[in-house]
């Protein structure tokens, strides 16, 4: 990387930078590698905010939240000897990447389990709220909960939720909209459910924790639909999300049947530290040491085999910090956590983009410790998550061009994603229409005995899960004019997705300008770390 000019931009707007003639090239994620690209003069680059300071004493913050809850009695006042308590906790889908130990879940569980023991509560189970996600591996659970809880509860009283267990699920009723409400039987029959949450993005937490995390397939069908996705202006803004509305209705039925004490936490966006700390910075601010670190890492990644590169990234934990912890009733707790999340992530941006550029990283909520970010998950990040990282209105205008960078390799993990393989190779060549896929094939996959068995006994995502991943990008598919992939290593995957290919970012931008005009407004989202835009 060439020498960089001194900082000249004002401090107050350092998240939004305009490329000039002497600006540094920008780093983009490219799966398990990076690209270093010069952007056209006038391109707007949007960076994440600086990480908010973590609470000085996380254990004290957690204890304070338990003793000063929102609209509920303190946790200790809810406990009685002999009562039946179920603790549910978020699974491995967050935070991303995995966080340094101690994990937030470990800190909370140590405090809560000690409090339960002190009050004579012995009938305690801890359930990983996987919904239709894959079962966490033993070693993953052990890392999340810590040695103390692991030794005391595993395996009889610490286990994964099973949405397909006919004896382990119970129907609580229906919402006023006719949505079926199912729940894990152990939780439903408990005197108290304590939910341990990590709120990485505003879509997490709230009624989604119990209403989705402990539900079954028939309940999830109510809102994991193409229509609900299209009717959601943004996943990250619950007030304008049809998906969130349905989840809230289901969650309120759960709250009517079971007393739920929520413990929600918000993390800052410190996704990278140590030797990768330069990824938290604007390239214009790189020191000579930062440039040398990047050059060394890029040189190494270019020469490593794929599996080694992936292992390197997956085994590098993030130094996330707790920035807020609140406990108590569902709605007031979640509202406070959302406020803190937006404080960390939301960036005001003037006007929409005609062309939006973003790199696709190595990780998503659905491939932690998997062998690949498979093509369906590349699509989820591009047209699902990254397109939806906004409030108010999309950063990319309707009909605009989305440029992504990823190899789009035809790679799947047969242990974690077996149903994805059939979905991609059998169904997508026939039709990419979400509504047809939903009505014609979804139940077939959901009740396929092989997929049910791999979900229940192995570590596979539920048979219906690839359908949800395809639906997740439906609004993006309907709103985006063109999707162009930079650096795809094959033609098959982009063709099935309905995307175009470009050999370089410069070529992709030229293709985008052919549609949007030479004066098109170009914006690059410089993430991860996570950011959201408030377009005004």
């Amino acid at each position: 990387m060439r020498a960089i000019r001194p900082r000249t931009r004002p401090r107050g707007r350092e998240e939004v930078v305009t490329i000039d003639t002497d600006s540094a090239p920008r780093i983009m994620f490219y799966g398990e590698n990076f690209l270093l690209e010069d952007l056209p003069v006038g391109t707007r680059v949007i960076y994440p905010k600086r990480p908010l300071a973590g609470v000085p004493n996380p254990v004290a913050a957690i204890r304070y939240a338990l003793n000063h809850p929102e609209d509920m009695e303190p946790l200790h006042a809810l406990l009685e000897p002999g009562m039946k308590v179920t603790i549910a906790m978020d699974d491995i889908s967050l935070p991303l990447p995995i966080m340094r130990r101690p994990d937030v879940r470990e800190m909370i569980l140590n405090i809560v389990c000690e409090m339960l023991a002190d009050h004579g509560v012995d009938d305690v189970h801890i359930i990983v709220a996987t919904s239709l996600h894959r079962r966490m591996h033993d070693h993953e659970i052990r890392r999340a909960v810590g040695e103390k809880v692991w030794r005391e509860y595993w395996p009889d009283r610490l286990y994964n939720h099973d949405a397909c267990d006919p004896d382990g699920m119970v129907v609580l009723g229906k919402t006023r909209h006719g949505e079926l409400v199912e729940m894990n039987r152990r939780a439903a029959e408990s005197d108290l459910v304590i939910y341990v949450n990590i709120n990485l993005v505003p879509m997490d937490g709230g009624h989604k924790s119990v209403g989705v995390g402990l539900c079954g397939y028939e309940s999830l069908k109510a809102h994991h639909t193409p229509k609900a996705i299209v009717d959601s202006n943004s996943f990250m803004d619950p007030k304008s999300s049809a998906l969130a509305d349905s989840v809230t209705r289901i969650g309120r039925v759960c709250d009517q049947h079971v007393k739920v004490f929520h413990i929600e936490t918000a993390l800052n966006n410190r996704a990278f530290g140590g030797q990768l700390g330069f990824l938290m910075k604007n390239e214009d601010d790189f020191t000579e040491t930062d440039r040398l670190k990047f050059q060394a890492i890029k040189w190494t990644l270019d020469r490593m085999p794929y599996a080694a590169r992936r292992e390197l990234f997956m085994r590098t934990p993030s130094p996330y910090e707790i920035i807020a912890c609140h406990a108590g009733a569902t709605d007031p707790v979640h509202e406070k956590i959302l406020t803190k999340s937006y404080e960390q992530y939301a960036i005001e941006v003037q006007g929409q983009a005609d062309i939006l550029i973003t790199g696709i990283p190595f990780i998503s909520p659905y491939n932690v410790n998997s062998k690949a970010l498979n093509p369906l998950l590349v699509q989820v990040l591009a047209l699902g998550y990254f397109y939806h990282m906004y409030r108010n209105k999309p950063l990319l205008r309707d009909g605009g061009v989305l440029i992504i960078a990823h190899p789009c390799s035809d790679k799947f993990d047969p242990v974690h994603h077996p149903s994805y393989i059939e979905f991609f190779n059998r169904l997508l060549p026939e039709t990419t229409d979400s509504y047809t896929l939903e009505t014609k094939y979804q139940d077939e996959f959901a009740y396929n005995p092989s997929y049910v068995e791999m979900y229940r006994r192995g570590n596979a995502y539920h048979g219906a899960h690839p359908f949800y991943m395809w639906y997740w990008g439906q609004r993006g598919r309907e709103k985006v004019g063109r999707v162009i992939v930079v650096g795809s290593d094959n033609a098959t995957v982009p063709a099935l997705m309905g995307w175009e290919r470009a050999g370089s970012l410069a070529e992709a931008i030229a293709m985008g300008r052919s549609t949007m005009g030479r004066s098109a407004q170009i914006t690059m989202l410089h993430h991860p770390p996570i950011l959201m835009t408030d377009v005004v």
Side-chain angles (χ1 to χ4, degrees), residues 174-352:
K174 291 187 176 182
T175 70
R176 65 181 186 276
H177 286 65
E179 297 141 325
L180 184 72
V181 182
E182 295 176 289
M183 193 177 187
N184 181 285
R185 182 178 293 277
R186 163 72 199 196
E189 295 176 352
S190 295
D191 299 308
L192 177 66
V193 172
I194 302 171
Y195 198 97
V196 179
N197 155 269
I198 301 174
N199 204 284
L200 187 66
V201 294
M203 187 175 65
D204 301 326
H207 288 287
K208 182 172 179 280
S209 294
V210 172
V212 172
L214 297 176
C215 79
Y217 168 66
E218 290 296 333
S219 185
L220 208 63
K221 283 172 66 174
H223 43 75
H224 275 46
T225 67
K227 185 178 187 308
I229 297 302
V230 171
D231 290 344
S232 298
N233 179 47
S234 172
F235 302 148
M236 303 302 165
D237 186 3
K239 293 182 175 61
S240 60
S241 169
L243 179 67
D245 289 343
S246 177
V247 168
T248 297
R249 291 190 294 268
I250 289 173
R252 285 180 175 156
V253 172
C254 294
D255 283 355
Q256 291 169 7
H257 286 79
V258 183
K259 180 178 288 187
V260 182
F261 187 89
H262 283 265
I263 307 170
E264 290 203 14
T265 60
L267 303 180
N268 63 14
N269 65 352
R270 197 178 298 278
F272 304 106
Q275 297 303 311
L276 293 177
F278 62 85
L279 293 173
M280 301 292 298
K281 300 172 68 173
N282 181 322
E283 290 85 348
D284 289 337
D285 299 332
F286 275 19
T287 64
E288 186 62 26
T289 300
D290 293 327
R291 289 191 288 275
L292 291 173
K293 282 182 179 179
F294 173 73
Q295 289 169 1
I297 289 174
K298 183 72 170 73
W299 186 92
T300 303
L301 292 173
D302 288 344
R303 288 155 180 81
M304 292 175 70
Y306 168 81
R309 295 200 308 269
R310 183 149 192 83
E311 190 73 8
L312 174 66
F313 278 112
M314 282 294 181
R315 296 294 171 265
T316 304
S318 299
Y320 289 120
E321 300 166 294
I322 297 176
I323 55 175
C325 181
H326 296 283
T330 311
D331 290 317
V333 166
H334 193 50
E335 192 60 38
K336 288 198 169 188
I337 291 295
L338 282 178
T339 299
K340 201 65 178 180
S341 292
Y342 290 132
E343 182 185 346
Q344 175 64 90
Y345 297 134
I347 297 166
E348 184 176 299
V349 177
Q350 298 293 323
Q352 293 177 292

Side-chain angles (χ1 to χ4, degrees), residues 24 61 307 385 456:
Y385 281 92
R456 297 194 64 197

